[in-house]
Amino acid sequence: MSLLSVIVPCYNEEENIADFYHELLKNGSFLEEKRIELEILYIDDGSKDGTVAEVKKLRAEDERVHLLSFSRNFGKEAAIYAGLQKSKGDYVVLMDADLQDPPALLPEMYSYIEQGYDSVATRRVTRKGEPVVRSFFARLFYRLMNHISKTEIVDGARDYRLMTRQVVDAILSMTEYNRFTKGIFGWVGFETKWLEFENVERKKGETKWSFWKLFLYSIDGITAFSTVPLAIASIMGVVFCFVAFLLIAVTIIRKLLFGDPTSGWPSLVCIISLISGVQLFCLGIVGQYLSKTYMEVKRRPVYLVKEDI
Ligand code: UDP
Ligand code: MG
């Protein structure tokens, strides 16, 4: 018998815990045919509602349910990492608790693993039910990201992914603190089959991602998988030096030919504002990388466990 680990990060998902469990089992009939055992790891990311109690209720009836509870909210990336570390399965699948990752896809995903793929990933081809502004910026992010990073990050890719133990171990070998899983999947490589599906709206509860949280997350993604912004800062520095030299030459020549080097303070104010803006912008870019390095060298744990059942 082989083992399939299902990892479910949960943050305030009390309404979804039981629904998810039943929906998963309903679609899990292929597991018996294939002689695969199941373990379900609910990773409670410091929920403040009854999530933990709901999982414990399931656990009382079903030994295959496990609970790992964090001491506070560490974020979905930390929950995924904890789940992967905890999983014992020969195959591991990551799924959201809100049923936005349809369990009905599992049999098909597994069939590709049988065909020899190392990992089966999913992407949603529509963003139905999502605010227009959010979709627009999401698309923009993916376009930008794929221009400035060597690691491919697929637009619409979900974290819903079935992997073999080999891929899981590869991901776990990346022990970085700033974890951007969408990039890590691409970075480790392996043979990946992509499945597409129409966006499913969240069953109950609400999304944990505000626009601001997503914006900060996108900056995490960029700094974690590209150093191009640093190069842009250097190039801007060179360009502005070049322009400054030109202006100096023009001013000197004008003084020599026409005896009039200055043409008032408005131009000066504009130039000072522009240059100081560019300087602060570049300093900000450097600061972003410095802060990530700072967090990385502290070597703090990615998450802390309160309860492990
Ligand atoms: N999640 C988590 N920690 C967080 C935020 C979210 O573990 O800090 C979980 C959440 O419970 C859900 C999954 O990550 O199972 C996806 O979150 P959500 O549905 O809010 O994101 P969306 O689908 O809107 O992108
Ligand atoms: Mg969701």
Side-chain angles (χ1 to χ4, degrees):
M1 287 286 262
S2 48
L3 179 69
L4 171 72
S5 305
V6 181
I7 298 171
V8 197
C10 311
Y11 179 49
N12 297 341
E13 301 280 7
E14 60 179 356
E15 301 152 295
N16 290 316
I17 300 292
D19 288 4
F20 175 85
Y21 173 79
H22 296 301
E23 194 69 24
L24 179 69
L25 292 196
K26 221 164 71 190
N27 290 283
S29 47
F30 76 100
L31 293 171
E32 273 154 45
E33 285 163 36
K34 307 279 180 190
R35 296 181 51 74
I36 302 172
E37 277 182 276
L38 183 70
E39 65 168 1
I40 308 172
L41 309 169
Y42 283 101
I43 314 295
D44 158 52
D45 187 9
S47 301
K48 291 181 189 71
D49 64 356
T51 300
V52 171
E54 285 292 320
V55 179
K56 282 181 179 166
K57 250 191 255 167
L58 290 179
R59 165 74 190 189
E61 288 160 17
D62 189 346
E63 289 266 295
R64 297 173 297 178
V65 175
H66 302 264
L67 167 73
L68 189 73
S69 191
F70 289 175
S71 61
R72 63 167 170 85
N73 179 244
F74 281 91
K76 187 184 178 188
E77 297 292 347
I80 290 176
Y81 185 52
L84 291 176
Q85 280 186 327
K86 197 89 198 116
S87 68
K88 300 195 191 76
D90 308 285
Y91 313 104
V92 174
V93 63
L94 301 172
M95 295 174 90
D96 284 2
D98 58 4
L99 289 171
Q100 276 192 294
D101 297 331
L105 277 179
L106 273 176
E108 191 187 350
M109 290 168 86
Y110 182 73
S111 73
Y112 284 108
I113 294 282
E114 275 184 319
Q115 282 174 32
Y117 283 99
D118 302 300
S119 134
V120 183
T122 59
R123 64 183 285 261
R124 45 179 187 180
V125 280
T126 54
R127 287 179 171 272
K128 187 174 60 110
E130 203 186 52
V132 186
V133 184
R134 180 173 294 195
S135 304
F136 172 77
F137 280 102
R139 292 231 161 78
L140 195 71
F141 167 73
Y142 284 109
R143 279 239 292 283
L144 177 76
M145 196 63 202
N146 283 314
H147 268 106
I148 64 175
S149 170
K150 283 193 205 109
T151 306
E152 203 202 354
I153 292 159
V154 178
D155 187 0
R158 301 211 33 104
D159 294 331
Y160 186 20
R161 195 180 269 258
L162 179 62
M163 296 165 277
T164 60
R165 177 49 42 188
Q166 193 185 18
V167 178
V168 174
D169 288 341
I171 292 172
L172 287 175
S173 72
M174 298 173 78
T175 54
E176 61 213 67
Y177 179 80
N178 295 291
R179 305 192 70 80
F180 185 68
T181 306
K182 287 186 200 316
I184 290 178
F185 286 143
W187 195 89
V188 296
F190 294 101
E191 196 95 44
T192 303
K193 171 77 188 172
W194 283 93
L195 297 183
E196 297 182 344
F197 69 96
E198 301 260 320
N199 190 31
V200 184
E201 284 185 54
R202 178 179 255 281
K203 280 268 143 49
K204 291 172 185 166
E206 54 197 43
T207 176
K208 310 300 177 303
W209 296 88
S210 63
F211 187 80
W212 180 240
K213 233 174 142 182
L214 278 176
F215 177 72
L216 293 179
Y217 185 57
S218 70
I219 292 181
D220 283 351
I222 291 172
T223 49
F225 280 91
S226 171
T227 49
V228 168
L230 287 173
I232 292 174
S234 316
I235 292 167
M236 278 217 281
V238 173
V239 168
F240 274 89
C241 280
F242 184 71
V243 173
F245 277 125
L246 270 182
L247 285 175
I248 291 168
V250 168
T251 313
I252 290 174
I253 291 167
R254 225 171 39 189
K255 165 76 180 165
L256 293 178
L257 293 185
F258 309 106
D260 172 30
T262 54
S263 56
W265 66 275
S267 54
L268 210 63
V269 169
C270 296
I271 291 167
I272 290 176
S273 314
L274 176 69
I275 304 289
S276 49
V278 170
Q279 274 180 344
L280 279 180
F281 177 66
C282 294
L283 204 60
I285 292 178
V286 179
Q288 279 299 325
Y289 285 91
L290 188 65
S291 72
K292 296 291 174 216
T293 315
Y294 177 57
M295 292 313 290
E296 211 66 64
V297 295
K298 282 194 194 192
R299 299 231 128 262
R300 284 187 181 164
V302 178
Y303 59 88
L304 289 174
V305 174
K306 185 174 160 228
E307 230 180 335
D308 183 354
I309 303 174

